Amino acid sequence: MFPECCMACNNLLLQNEDILCISCREELPVTHQHTAISSQVMGKFYGKVRIENAACYLYFTKGGIVQKLFHQLKYNKHPEISYFLGQLYAISLLDSNFMHGIDEIVMVPLHPKKQKTRGYNQVEGFAKALSEVFNIPINNKILYKTQKTDSQTTKNLLQRNYKRKEVFAVQNNSDKKGTHFLLLDDILTTGATLEVCSKKLLEIPESKVSILCLAQTV
């Protein structure tokens, strides 16, 4: 009674299509940053926090196909989009050395109240797809949010960084010495949240942090 439609253009999906129609899938603005020696994402953290490697899958532009997908993912109860994009990204990452040496996958956490309201963390599918392809465990307990904060999407760079409170913490990490964490988020804007999370993980002795995001704002 309710045929499946493309999450971006709303056209009916063909029998062999999923989430996106072929046309929209071919129009995805892929960055290819994971193949670069030094990606533009690394510049977000230069001089702020020590990151081993960082990349984003797609470019996010206002009114673009990626914005439409993320609106469906975060606000219209379609967590399957995260897994779908994660699978596409994982396949691309197979052709690079980006995932070499990664020990655990960690998601930027939501506050428990926010996650209960939404019903899921929008990065869960992304993490699951990477875990399945590269056989790397997901650690969803080591990093947690200590207080609920307002959405960052309407704040400018100054507002995000000005006297930013440390709202993240790490659990008991006595057995995580020397772990290389892959920190995941959905959209990279200023990098402020990822910076704070990375610093918390790097409090663990001899640990390392690399970063992957599904999209980066242009």
Side-chain angles (χ1 to χ4, degrees), residues 144-213:
Y144 64 97
K145 201 166 188 178
T146 59
Q147 65 185 54
K148 192 175 183 293
T149 54
D150 296 331
S151 173
Q152 298 289 301
T153 56
T154 58
K155 297 180 180 179
N156 58 37
L157 178 60
L158 181 61
Q159 291 171 323
R160 294 180 196 210
N161 290 322
Y162 180 66
K163 291 185 179 179
R164 183 177 179 83
K165 296 179 181 179
E166 291 190 345
V167 297
F168 297 95
V170 291
Q171 298 276 19
N172 188 333
N173 52 62
S174 58
D175 63 336
K176 297 301 179 182
K177 181 179 178 180
T179 301
H180 189 168
F181 298 102
L182 179 63
L183 182 61
L184 304 184
D185 204 359
D186 53 354
I187 304 175
L188 172 65
T189 50
T190 65
T193 297
L194 288 164
E195 178 187 340
V196 174
C197 289
S198 296
K199 286 180 177 178
K200 284 298 176 182
L201 291 172
L202 288 172
E203 290 177 359
I204 301 171
E206 299 177 25
S207 63
K208 298 178 180 179
V209 175
S210 290
I211 291 173
L212 278 181
C213 298

Side-chain angles (χ1 to χ4, degrees), residues 63-192:
I65 184 173
V66 178
Q67 184 184 36
K68 294 176 183 177
L69 281 174
F70 276 73
H71 183 82
Q72 296 281 5
L73 167 62
K74 297 177 73 171
Y75 306 113
N76 288 345
K77 303 294 183 182
H78 286 290
E80 67 273 18
I81 293 175
S82 178
Y83 183 72
F84 172 76
L85 293 177
Q87 285 182 311
L88 295 180
Y89 202 7
I91 292 172
S92 298
L93 290 167
L94 286 170
D95 296 328
S96 73
N97 294 322
F98 192 99
M99 300 294 290
H100 181 71
I102 300 294
D103 298 307
E104 291 186 350
I105 296 171
V106 178
M107 299 174 284
V108 170
L110 296 177
H111 188 274
K113 289 184 178 179
K114 188 170 185 179
Q115 181 152 339
K116 184 177 181 180
T117 300
R118 181 174 293 169
Y120 55 90
N121 183 327
Q122 66 271 17
V123 191
E124 285 179 8
F126 181 23
K128 183 180 179 181
L130 292 175
S131 177
E132 290 176 352
V133 172
F134 294 97
N135 195 28
I136 298 173
I138 299 171
N139 189 333
N140 57 10
K141 294 182 178 180
I142 192 168
L143 187 65
Y144 64 97
K145 201 166 188 178
T146 59
Q147 65 185 54
K148 192 175 183 293
T149 54
D150 296 331
S151 173
Q152 298 289 301
T153 56
T154 58
K155 297 180 180 179
N156 58 37
L157 178 60
L158 181 61
Q159 291 171 323
R160 294 180 196 210
N161 290 322
Y162 180 66
K163 291 185 179 179
R164 183 177 179 83
K165 296 179 181 179
E166 291 190 345
V167 297
F168 297 95
V170 291
Q171 298 276 19
N172 188 333
N173 52 62
S174 58
D175 63 336
K176 297 301 179 182
K177 181 179 178 180
T179 301
H180 189 168
F181 298 102
L182 179 63
L183 182 61
L184 304 184
D185 204 359
D186 53 354
I187 304 175
L188 172 65
T189 50
T190 65

